Tab-separated table of all heavy atoms in Angstrom:
chain	number	residue	atom	x	y	z
A	201	LEU	N	-11.211	6.764	-22.993
A	201	LEU	CA	-10.160	6.689	-22.007
A	201	LEU	C	-10.125	7.995	-21.112
A	201	LEU	O	-9.895	7.921	-19.967
A	201	LEU	CB	-8.816	6.587	-22.709
A	201	LEU	CG	-8.694	5.262	-23.561
A	201	LEU	CD1	-7.257	5.237	-24.251
A	201	LEU	CD2	-8.845	4.070	-22.688
A	202	LEU	N	-10.452	9.193	-21.781
A	202	LEU	CA	-10.481	10.393	-20.981
A	202	LEU	C	-11.621	10.400	-19.988
A	202	LEU	O	-11.508	10.882	-18.948
A	202	LEU	CB	-10.570	11.637	-21.927
A	202	LEU	CG	-9.340	11.915	-22.802
A	202	LEU	CD1	-9.636	12.994	-23.737
A	202	LEU	CD2	-8.101	12.289	-21.880
A	203	PHE	N	-12.721	9.803	-20.386
A	203	PHE	CA	-13.904	9.692	-19.498
A	203	PHE	C	-13.605	8.784	-18.363
A	203	PHE	O	-13.854	9.138	-17.198
A	203	PHE	CB	-15.059	9.116	-20.324
A	203	PHE	CG	-16.363	9.115	-19.539
A	203	PHE	CD1	-16.682	10.074	-18.633
A	203	PHE	CD2	-17.262	8.042	-19.738
A	203	PHE	CE1	-17.943	10.010	-17.939
A	203	PHE	CE2	-18.382	7.983	-19.011
A	203	PHE	CZ	-18.744	8.997	-18.134
A	204	PHE	N	-12.907	7.676	-18.693
A	204	PHE	CA	-12.442	6.801	-17.555
A	204	PHE	C	-11.541	7.607	-16.626
A	204	PHE	O	-11.605	7.448	-15.378
A	204	PHE	CB	-11.652	5.625	-18.151
A	204	PHE	CG	-12.475	4.347	-18.341
A	204	PHE	CD1	-12.699	3.836	-19.576
A	204	PHE	CD2	-12.995	3.703	-17.223
A	204	PHE	CE1	-13.535	2.705	-19.762
A	204	PHE	CE2	-13.725	2.569	-17.319
A	204	PHE	CZ	-14.009	2.059	-18.597
A	205	LEU	N	-10.605	8.284	-17.187
A	205	LEU	CA	-9.635	9.068	-16.356
A	205	LEU	C	-10.327	10.003	-15.410
A	205	LEU	O	-10.089	10.089	-14.166
A	205	LEU	CB	-8.695	9.857	-17.283
A	205	LEU	CG	-7.687	10.761	-16.556
A	205	LEU	CD1	-6.862	10.038	-15.571
A	205	LEU	CD2	-6.823	11.503	-17.563
A	206	GLY	N	-11.347	10.755	-15.965
A	206	GLY	CA	-12.057	11.643	-15.095
A	206	GLY	C	-12.836	10.920	-13.965
A	206	GLY	O	-12.854	11.330	-12.822
A	207	ILE	N	-13.564	9.879	-14.352
A	207	ILE	CA	-14.362	9.138	-13.415
A	207	ILE	C	-13.467	8.575	-12.220
A	207	ILE	O	-13.731	8.701	-11.079
A	207	ILE	CB	-15.152	7.927	-14.093
A	207	ILE	CG1	-16.249	8.529	-14.936
A	207	ILE	CG2	-15.730	6.957	-13.093
A	207	ILE	CD1	-17.412	9.126	-14.192
A	208	LEU	N	-12.341	7.964	-12.659
A	208	LEU	CA	-11.508	7.302	-11.619
A	208	LEU	C	-10.795	8.275	-10.770
A	208	LEU	O	-10.510	8.043	-9.614
A	208	LEU	CB	-10.473	6.378	-12.381
A	208	LEU	CG	-11.094	5.158	-13.056
A	208	LEU	CD1	-10.010	4.384	-13.776
A	208	LEU	CD2	-11.849	4.251	-11.967
A	209	LEU	N	-10.473	9.557	-11.279
A	209	LEU	CA	-9.951	10.560	-10.496
A	209	LEU	C	-10.944	10.988	-9.435
A	209	LEU	O	-10.547	11.219	-8.209
A	209	LEU	CB	-9.500	11.789	-11.352
A	209	LEU	CG	-8.235	11.631	-12.069
A	209	LEU	CD1	-7.989	12.808	-13.037
A	209	LEU	CD2	-6.990	11.622	-11.108
A	210	LEU	N	-12.202	11.103	-9.787
A	210	LEU	CA	-13.220	11.483	-8.822
A	210	LEU	C	-13.385	10.386	-7.734
A	210	LEU	O	-13.517	10.645	-6.627
A	210	LEU	CB	-14.567	11.711	-9.568
A	210	LEU	CG	-14.614	13.065	-10.340
A	210	LEU	CD1	-15.797	13.046	-11.336
A	210	LEU	CD2	-14.679	14.254	-9.415
A	211	VAL	N	-13.456	9.157	-8.242
A	211	VAL	CA	-13.616	8.023	-7.235
A	211	VAL	C	-12.439	7.979	-6.258
A	211	VAL	O	-12.604	7.724	-5.127
A	211	VAL	CB	-13.788	6.711	-8.041
A	211	VAL	CG1	-13.784	5.553	-7.078
A	211	VAL	CG2	-15.106	6.680	-8.765
A	212	GLY	N	-11.255	8.177	-6.880
A	212	GLY	CA	-10.030	8.126	-5.994
A	212	GLY	C	-10.074	9.262	-4.955
A	212	GLY	O	-9.612	9.094	-3.807
A	213	MET	N	-10.600	10.428	-5.356
A	213	MET	CA	-10.744	11.526	-4.438
A	213	MET	C	-11.727	11.175	-3.364
A	213	MET	O	-11.514	11.468	-2.156
A	213	MET	CB	-11.253	12.797	-5.154
A	213	MET	CG	-11.533	13.992	-4.323
A	213	MET	SD	-13.249	14.009	-3.683
A	213	MET	CE	-14.140	14.231	-5.276
A	214	LEU	N	-12.859	10.528	-3.622
A	214	LEU	CA	-13.825	10.150	-2.707
A	214	LEU	C	-13.300	9.126	-1.707
A	214	LEU	O	-13.534	9.150	-0.529
A	214	LEU	CB	-15.085	9.547	-3.343
A	214	LEU	CG	-15.913	10.559	-4.176
A	214	LEU	CD1	-17.025	9.861	-4.897
A	214	LEU	CD2	-16.481	11.648	-3.238
A	215	LYS	N	-12.375	8.288	-2.258
A	215	LYS	CA	-11.672	7.289	-1.404
A	215	LYS	C	-10.800	8.015	-0.489
A	215	LYS	O	-10.660	7.735	0.712
A	215	LYS	CB	-10.937	6.285	-2.197
A	215	LYS	CG	-10.176	5.200	-1.382
A	215	LYS	CD	-9.374	4.274	-2.360
A	215	LYS	CE	-8.599	3.236	-1.554
A	215	LYS	NZ	-7.778	2.424	-2.398
A	216	GLN	N	-10.062	9.058	-0.966
A	216	GLN	CA	-9.106	9.837	-0.159
A	216	GLN	C	-9.738	10.544	0.970
A	216	GLN	O	-9.180	10.641	2.043
A	216	GLN	CB	-8.403	10.859	-1.157
A	216	GLN	CG	-7.476	11.836	-0.345
A	216	GLN	CD	-6.312	11.194	0.259
A	216	GLN	OE1	-5.894	10.071	-0.102
A	216	GLN	NE2	-5.753	11.830	1.267
A	217	ILE	N	-10.954	11.072	0.804
A	217	ILE	CA	-11.619	11.860	1.862
A	217	ILE	C	-12.513	10.960	2.764
A	217	ILE	O	-13.197	11.456	3.680
A	217	ILE	CB	-12.481	13.001	1.247
A	217	ILE	CG1	-13.673	12.467	0.429
A	217	ILE	CG2	-11.643	13.956	0.480
A	217	ILE	CD1	-14.560	13.497	-0.098
A	218	GLY	N	-12.470	9.673	2.534
A	218	GLY	CA	-13.097	8.760	3.446
A	218	GLY	C	-14.529	8.387	3.170
A	218	GLY	O	-15.084	7.775	4.028
A	219	VAL	N	-15.040	8.799	2.017
A	219	VAL	CA	-16.459	8.480	1.738
A	219	VAL	C	-16.623	7.007	1.647
A	219	VAL	O	-17.677	6.481	2.113
A	219	VAL	CB	-16.884	9.182	0.397
A	219	VAL	CG1	-18.292	8.756	-0.026
A	219	VAL	CG2	-16.905	10.725	0.571
A	220	LEU	N	-15.739	6.287	0.958
A	220	LEU	CA	-15.933	4.843	0.809
A	220	LEU	C	-15.730	4.127	2.166
A	220	LEU	O	-16.477	3.154	2.434
A	220	LEU	CB	-14.896	4.279	-0.168
A	220	LEU	CG	-14.962	4.858	-1.603
A	220	LEU	CD1	-13.895	4.157	-2.470
A	220	LEU	CD2	-16.416	4.557	-2.174
A	221	ASP	N	-14.905	4.610	3.026
A	221	ASP	CA	-14.761	4.036	4.341
A	221	ASP	C	-16.063	4.283	5.203
A	221	ASP	O	-16.491	3.435	5.944
A	221	ASP	CB	-13.533	4.595	5.123
A	221	ASP	CG	-12.253	4.222	4.499
A	221	ASP	OD1	-12.194	3.084	3.956
A	221	ASP	OD2	-11.285	4.977	4.585
A	222	MET	N	-16.630	5.416	4.950
A	222	MET	CA	-17.924	5.659	5.594
A	222	MET	C	-19.043	4.744	5.184
A	222	MET	O	-19.796	4.226	5.965
A	222	MET	CB	-18.357	7.131	5.330
A	222	MET	CG	-19.686	7.567	5.996
A	222	MET	SD	-20.041	9.294	5.573
A	222	MET	CE	-20.376	9.099	3.838
A	223	LEU	N	-19.044	4.380	3.916
A	223	LEU	CA	-20.010	3.462	3.451
A	223	LEU	C	-19.787	2.047	3.979
A	223	LEU	O	-20.721	1.387	4.254
A	223	LEU	CB	-19.922	3.394	1.845
A	223	LEU	CG	-20.420	4.550	1.074
A	223	LEU	CD1	-20.109	4.399	-0.422
A	223	LEU	CD2	-21.903	4.730	1.310
A	224	ALA	N	-18.534	1.727	4.179
A	224	ALA	CA	-18.198	0.459	4.816
A	224	ALA	C	-18.731	0.374	6.289
A	224	ALA	O	-19.168	-0.655	6.733
A	224	ALA	CB	-16.741	0.156	4.780
A	225	ASN	N	-18.646	1.521	6.949
A	225	ASN	CA	-19.153	1.544	8.289
A	225	ASN	C	-20.672	1.462	8.337
A	225	ASN	O	-21.281	0.751	9.225
A	225	ASN	CB	-18.751	2.865	8.941
A	225	ASN	CG	-17.237	2.939	9.237
A	225	ASN	OD1	-16.576	1.925	9.302
A	225	ASN	ND2	-16.661	4.157	9.198
A	226	VAL	N	-21.327	2.057	7.360
A	226	VAL	CA	-22.771	2.032	7.269
A	226	VAL	C	-23.214	0.616	6.993
A	226	VAL	O	-24.277	0.112	7.445
A	226	VAL	CB	-23.352	2.992	6.221
A	226	VAL	CG1	-24.839	2.826	5.964
A	226	VAL	CG2	-23.016	4.428	6.582
A	227	TYR	N	-22.387	-0.075	6.170
A	227	TYR	CA	-22.691	-1.472	5.774
A	227	TYR	C	-22.934	-2.405	6.991
A	227	TYR	O	-23.849	-3.231	6.925
A	227	TYR	CB	-21.475	-2.013	4.949
A	227	TYR	CG	-21.635	-3.495	4.559
A	227	TYR	CD1	-22.203	-3.805	3.324
A	227	TYR	CD2	-21.145	-4.506	5.394
A	227	TYR	CE1	-22.276	-5.136	2.937
A	227	TYR	CE2	-21.269	-5.820	4.994
A	227	TYR	CZ	-21.806	-6.135	3.759
A	227	TYR	OH	-21.989	-7.476	3.356
A	228	GLY	N	-22.187	-2.207	8.063
A	228	GLY	CA	-22.275	-3.067	9.215
A	228	GLY	C	-23.511	-2.855	10.107
A	228	GLY	O	-23.773	-3.695	11.028
A	229	ILE	N	-24.251	-1.762	9.833
A	229	ILE	CA	-25.373	-1.442	10.659
A	229	ILE	C	-26.523	-2.403	10.414
A	229	ILE	O	-27.366	-2.748	11.259
A	229	ILE	CB	-25.797	-0.039	10.455
A	229	ILE	CG1	-24.659	0.979	10.866
A	229	ILE	CG2	-27.059	0.355	11.275
A	229	ILE	CD1	-24.930	2.346	10.551
A	230	TYR	N	-26.769	-2.791	9.111
A	230	TYR	CA	-27.938	-3.498	8.784
A	230	TYR	C	-27.684	-5.009	8.579
A	230	TYR	O	-26.494	-5.431	8.568
A	230	TYR	CB	-28.545	-2.909	7.528
A	230	TYR	CG	-28.841	-1.415	7.639
A	230	TYR	CD1	-27.984	-0.473	7.205
A	230	TYR	CD2	-30.019	-1.003	8.239
A	230	TYR	CE1	-28.223	0.956	7.326
A	230	TYR	CE2	-30.310	0.338	8.424
A	230	TYR	CZ	-29.406	1.270	7.959
A	230	TYR	OH	-29.707	2.582	8.061
A	231	ASN	N	-28.782	-5.755	8.249
A	231	ASN	CA	-28.593	-7.145	7.929
A	231	ASN	C	-27.770	-7.339	6.701
A	231	ASN	O	-28.004	-6.635	5.699
A	231	ASN	CB	-30.019	-7.750	7.756
A	231	ASN	CG	-29.995	-9.250	7.372
A	231	ASN	OD1	-29.601	-9.572	6.258
A	231	ASN	ND2	-30.341	-10.115	8.317
A	232	PRO	N	-26.835	-8.259	6.729
A	232	PRO	CA	-25.885	-8.382	5.541
A	232	PRO	C	-26.565	-8.484	4.263
A	232	PRO	O	-26.175	-7.978	3.212
A	232	PRO	CB	-25.013	-9.538	5.882
A	232	PRO	CG	-25.009	-9.648	7.433
A	232	PRO	CD	-26.382	-9.097	7.770
A	233	ASP	N	-27.686	-9.287	4.206
A	233	ASP	CA	-28.397	-9.539	2.922
A	233	ASP	C	-28.999	-8.209	2.402
A	233	ASP	O	-28.955	-7.959	1.184
A	233	ASP	CB	-29.556	-10.548	3.121
A	233	ASP	CG	-29.025	-11.924	3.313
A	233	ASP	OD1	-27.913	-12.240	2.822
A	233	ASP	OD2	-29.714	-12.781	3.889
A	234	VAL	N	-29.416	-7.380	3.294
A	234	VAL	CA	-29.932	-6.043	2.920
A	234	VAL	C	-28.768	-5.135	2.486
A	234	VAL	O	-28.890	-4.456	1.523
A	234	VAL	CB	-30.742	-5.389	4.025
A	234	VAL	CG1	-31.123	-3.977	3.620
A	234	VAL	CG2	-31.975	-6.232	4.419
A	235	SER	N	-27.729	-5.135	3.276
A	235	SER	CA	-26.589	-4.273	3.002
A	235	SER	C	-25.955	-4.714	1.648
A	235	SER	O	-25.559	-3.787	0.893
A	235	SER	CB	-25.516	-4.426	4.116
A	235	SER	OG	-25.983	-3.905	5.330
A	236	ASN	N	-25.782	-6.001	1.379
A	236	ASN	CA	-25.269	-6.399	0.095
A	236	ASN	C	-26.010	-5.873	-1.094
A	236	ASN	O	-25.525	-5.472	-2.067
A	236	ASN	CB	-25.181	-7.913	0.036
A	236	ASN	CG	-24.066	-8.470	0.995
A	236	ASN	OD1	-23.112	-7.748	1.317
A	236	ASN	ND2	-24.174	-9.747	1.289
A	237	PHE	N	-27.367	-5.994	-0.877
A	237	PHE	CA	-28.275	-5.515	-2.016
A	237	PHE	C	-28.073	-4.110	-2.342
A	237	PHE	O	-27.956	-3.680	-3.472
A	237	PHE	CB	-29.734	-5.794	-1.578
A	237	PHE	CG	-30.742	-5.421	-2.678
A	237	PHE	CD1	-30.955	-6.247	-3.766
A	237	PHE	CD2	-31.442	-4.218	-2.565
A	237	PHE	CE1	-31.886	-5.983	-4.717
A	237	PHE	CE2	-32.348	-3.883	-3.573
A	237	PHE	CZ	-32.592	-4.756	-4.611
A	238	PHE	N	-27.998	-3.233	-1.330
A	238	PHE	CA	-27.871	-1.773	-1.520
A	238	PHE	C	-26.414	-1.406	-1.849
A	238	PHE	O	-26.155	-0.406	-2.530
A	238	PHE	CB	-28.370	-0.960	-0.306
A	238	PHE	CG	-29.856	-0.966	-0.189
A	238	PHE	CD1	-30.562	-1.822	0.668
A	238	PHE	CD2	-30.640	-0.155	-1.044
A	238	PHE	CE1	-31.922	-1.796	0.713
A	238	PHE	CE2	-32.022	-0.155	-0.963
A	238	PHE	CZ	-32.676	-0.978	-0.099
A	239	THR	N	-25.470	-2.209	-1.442
A	239	THR	CA	-24.098	-1.978	-1.856
A	239	THR	C	-23.910	-2.209	-3.345
A	239	THR	O	-23.245	-1.413	-4.001
A	239	THR	CB	-23.127	-2.960	-1.104
A	239	THR	OG1	-23.198	-2.739	0.294
A	239	THR	CG2	-21.654	-2.778	-1.610
A	240	GLY	N	-24.642	-3.183	-3.866
A	240	GLY	CA	-24.614	-3.353	-5.302
A	240	GLY	C	-25.238	-2.122	-6.076
A	240	GLY	O	-24.687	-1.720	-7.103
A	241	MET	N	-26.293	-1.595	-5.483
A	241	MET	CA	-26.913	-0.461	-6.123
A	241	MET	C	-25.979	0.838	-6.025
A	241	MET	O	-25.883	1.569	-6.968
A	241	MET	CB	-28.239	-0.095	-5.437
A	241	MET	CG	-29.312	-1.142	-5.565
A	241	MET	SD	-30.958	-0.718	-4.929
A	241	MET	CE	-31.350	0.721	-5.976
A	242	ALA	N	-25.256	0.866	-4.881
A	242	ALA	CA	-24.336	2.004	-4.734
A	242	ALA	C	-23.146	1.889	-5.762
A	242	ALA	O	-22.597	2.897	-6.166
A	242	ALA	CB	-23.739	1.979	-3.323
A	243	SER	N	-22.842	0.655	-6.176
A	243	SER	CA	-21.728	0.486	-7.141
A	243	SER	C	-22.028	0.968	-8.528
A	243	SER	O	-21.244	1.072	-9.401
A	243	SER	CB	-21.365	-1.024	-7.189
A	243	SER	OG	-22.312	-1.736	-7.886
A	244	ALA	N	-23.358	1.376	-8.748
A	244	ALA	CA	-23.821	1.996	-9.969
A	244	ALA	C	-23.281	3.446	-9.983
A	244	ALA	O	-23.266	4.044	-11.100
A	244	ALA	CB	-25.299	1.915	-10.120
A	245	LEU	N	-22.944	4.025	-8.842
A	245	LEU	CA	-22.480	5.419	-8.815
A	245	LEU	C	-20.982	5.434	-8.451
A	245	LEU	O	-20.311	6.362	-8.925
A	245	LEU	CB	-23.275	6.175	-7.771
A	245	LEU	CG	-24.687	6.584	-8.103
A	245	LEU	CD1	-25.469	7.247	-6.951
A	245	LEU	CD2	-24.662	7.613	-9.277
A	246	LEU	N	-20.519	4.542	-7.612
A	246	LEU	CA	-19.189	4.523	-7.139
A	246	LEU	C	-18.427	3.315	-7.629
A	246	LEU	O	-19.062	2.222	-7.763
A	246	LEU	CB	-19.067	4.549	-5.640
A	246	LEU	CG	-19.665	5.754	-4.951
A	246	LEU	CD1	-19.685	5.590	-3.410
A	246	LEU	CD2	-18.818	6.971	-5.242
A	247	ASP	N	-17.198	3.376	-8.018
A	247	ASP	CA	-16.385	2.301	-8.540
A	247	ASP	C	-16.467	1.160	-7.524
A	247	ASP	O	-16.186	1.270	-6.341
A	247	ASP	CB	-14.935	2.741	-8.767
A	247	ASP	CG	-14.161	1.714	-9.515
A	247	ASP	OD1	-14.011	0.613	-9.083
A	247	ASP	OD2	-13.775	2.010	-10.667
A	248	ASN	N	-16.827	-0.050	-8.117
A	248	ASN	CA	-16.967	-1.177	-7.172
A	248	ASN	C	-15.639	-1.701	-6.698
A	248	ASN	O	-15.637	-2.432	-5.561
A	248	ASN	CB	-17.786	-2.338	-7.805
A	248	ASN	CG	-17.168	-2.851	-9.138
A	248	ASN	OD1	-16.102	-2.333	-9.482
A	248	ASN	ND2	-17.767	-3.811	-9.775
């Protein structure tokens, strides 16, 4: 539970500073099938 707490605090911080919004903007640049594939890979590092 403490590990979850630390991870989610970090993800919440990244959301607060706009990192996740930036990823959403990058998503629209490429073909959706390609973007979806790499979005899934990104979810291995960032909370989906």
Side-chain angles (χ1 to χ4, degrees):
L201 299 180
L202 291 175
F203 185 37
F204 263 115
L205 175 57
I207 288 290
L208 293 177
L209 280 172
L210 286 166
V211 171
M213 176 272 296
L214 292 173
K215 180 181 179 182
Q216 171 66 21
I217 65 176
V219 171
L220 298 182
D221 291 331
M222 182 180 66
L223 289 175
N225 293 332
V226 173
Y227 176 92
I229 298 175
Y230 303 98
N231 180 285
D233 288 335
V234 176
S235 295
N236 287 340
F237 182 80
F238 285 102
T239 297
M241 295 186 65
S243 70
L245 286 173
L246 296 171
D247 192 296
N248 57 359

